[in-house]
Amino acid sequence: LERIRLEMDLRHAVERNEMCLHYQPIVSLTDGKLIGFEALLRWHHPKMGMIPPFRFIPIAEDSGLILPITIWILHESCRQLAEWQKIGPEYSDLVVSVNISGKHLTKDLLIDDVVGALQSSRVAARTLKLEITESTAMENAEHTIHILGRLKEIGVQLSIDDFGTGYSSLSVLHRLPFDTLKIDRSFVNRVGEHGEDSEVLQTVISLAKNLKMRVIAEGIETGPQLAVLQNLGCDYGQGYFLAKPKGREETE
């Protein structure tokens, strides 16, 4: 019953302005410079308060509501990015990352939705990054290669998300035009105080470098984890140790 109620309320959440975006900083692990943000969806329900994404995103996926919600995220995050890029020349290359669902990736309309968001916000295509999970990318590999190729023609960046949790075929992986590879937080969490259990991290970072991809580690929560990633040559990072996701005003 709760699921049905949430789905009904979710259908009107965007038009009632109940949705908002929080932004988690992504920083360079070599010099600490702010690279950009990952846009993360939040739902402030009028009666139930803040509903965590793990409760409503699966409902949005199953019901197909994820499509209009993602279009809203694309437009809102690009609009916000355009404002931040105008603050000063040092922020003109800020990047925003938006998560794209498997449902959206199967639709050719995704191309039009991305172009629409870029045109209405007037941000440069290279400053929008689309994140696609590894399992989603591999679901229909040939179609994914086709869609990602068209997105690259537009000029947006592409990132393979949650790497290590799916089952990538290496023969397919090198054909996917990803710019960055995001290591799943579960591999970062395993690293001990003195760098033990970091072998998988080392392997994934080496694989990404050989495939000419930049590497982002998510879920950095301790100083030792950060130090290990820096020593392994990881390019970028995000996580509570660096900064929590925050609303627009707090982010500024």
Side-chain angles (χ1 to χ4, degrees):
L1 284 172
E2 184 188 270
R3 187 181 173 88
I4 292 167
R5 184 181 165 194
L6 279 176
E7 184 180 328
M8 287 174 64
D9 291 346
L10 196 55
R11 291 185 181 278
H12 306 288
V14 171
E15 63 196 54
R16 290 174 182 163
N17 293 319
E18 294 168 8
M19 293 289 182
C20 70
L21 292 176
H22 282 197
Y23 298 89
Q24 184 166 35
I26 299 169
V27 302
S28 165
L29 296 190
T30 52
D31 60 11
K33 184 185 174 189
L34 178 67
I35 301 300
F37 302 93
E38 180 177 1
L40 298 164
L41 186 65
R42 299 289 183 263
W43 181 16
H44 197 280
H45 193 281
K47 292 179 181 173
M48 291 185 267
M50 199 66 84
I51 300 176
F54 70 82
R55 278 184 65 199
F56 71 86
I57 293 292
I59 297 171
E61 291 265 6
D62 293 343
S63 63
L65 291 169
I66 196 68
L67 299 178
I69 289 173
T70 302
I71 293 169
W72 177 82
I73 295 171
L74 281 166
H75 280 266
E76 181 60 22
S77 56
C78 285
R79 184 197 62 75
Q80 183 60 71
L81 181 66
E83 285 186 23
W84 285 338
Q85 287 178 346
K86 290 172 190 165
I87 290 173
E90 67 270 35
Y91 298 122
S92 60
D93 289 326
L94 276 183
V95 174
V96 71
S97 295
V98 174
N99 294 286
I100 300 297
S101 78
K103 280 262 172 71
H104 218 144
L105 195 63
T106 61
K107 312 278 186 187
D108 284 356
L109 286 173
L110 173 61
I111 310 294
D112 296 333
D113 296 336
V114 169
V115 169
L118 291 170
Q119 288 178 342
S120 64
S121 63
R122 297 185 178 178
V123 298
R126 60 184 166 75
T127 60
L128 172 63
K129 182 179 284 186
L130 306 180
E131 295 195 6
I132 293 123
T133 64
E134 180 186 13
S135 49
T136 295
M138 294 299 159
E139 229 165 68
N140 184 344
E142 290 304 320
H143 179 75
T144 300
I145 291 166
H146 167 68
I147 291 289
L148 297 190
R150 290 182 62 191
L151 287 167
K152 286 303 292 179
E153 288 171 12
I154 295 168
V156 298
Q157 293 190 55
L158 300 170
S159 178
I160 184 165
D161 195 10
D162 296 344
F163 189 81
T165 59
Y167 300 95
S168 286
S169 163
L170 295 181
S171 62
V172 173
L173 188 60
H174 80 93
R175 294 174 59 204
L176 294 165
F178 286 110
D179 303 285
T180 56
L181 180 152
K182 185 177 271 192
I183 302 171
D184 187 65
R185 65 181 60 245
S186 60
F187 297 113
V188 177
N189 290 342
R190 280 181 209 162
V191 175
E193 286 289 316
H194 305 290
E196 58 269 28
D197 299 325
S198 62
E199 295 83 5
V200 173
L201 278 182
Q202 192 171 352
T203 304
V204 172
I205 290 170
S206 296
L207 172 66
K209 301 274 186 188
N210 288 333
L211 291 171
K212 305 291 188 292
M213 294 185 206
R214 295 295 185 107
V215 188
I216 301 177
E218 62 178 354
I220 302 172
E221 295 180 359
T222 67
Q225 290 171 356
L226 176 61
V228 166
L229 288 161
Q230 287 173 315
N231 289 335
L232 292 175
C234 185
D235 301 294
Y236 310 120
Q238 65 184 101
Y240 278 22
F241 183 72
L242 301 168
K244 293 182 179 181
K246 298 182 178 78
R248 177 183 59 83
E249 290 182 8
E250 285 182 281
T251 298
E252 289 175 3

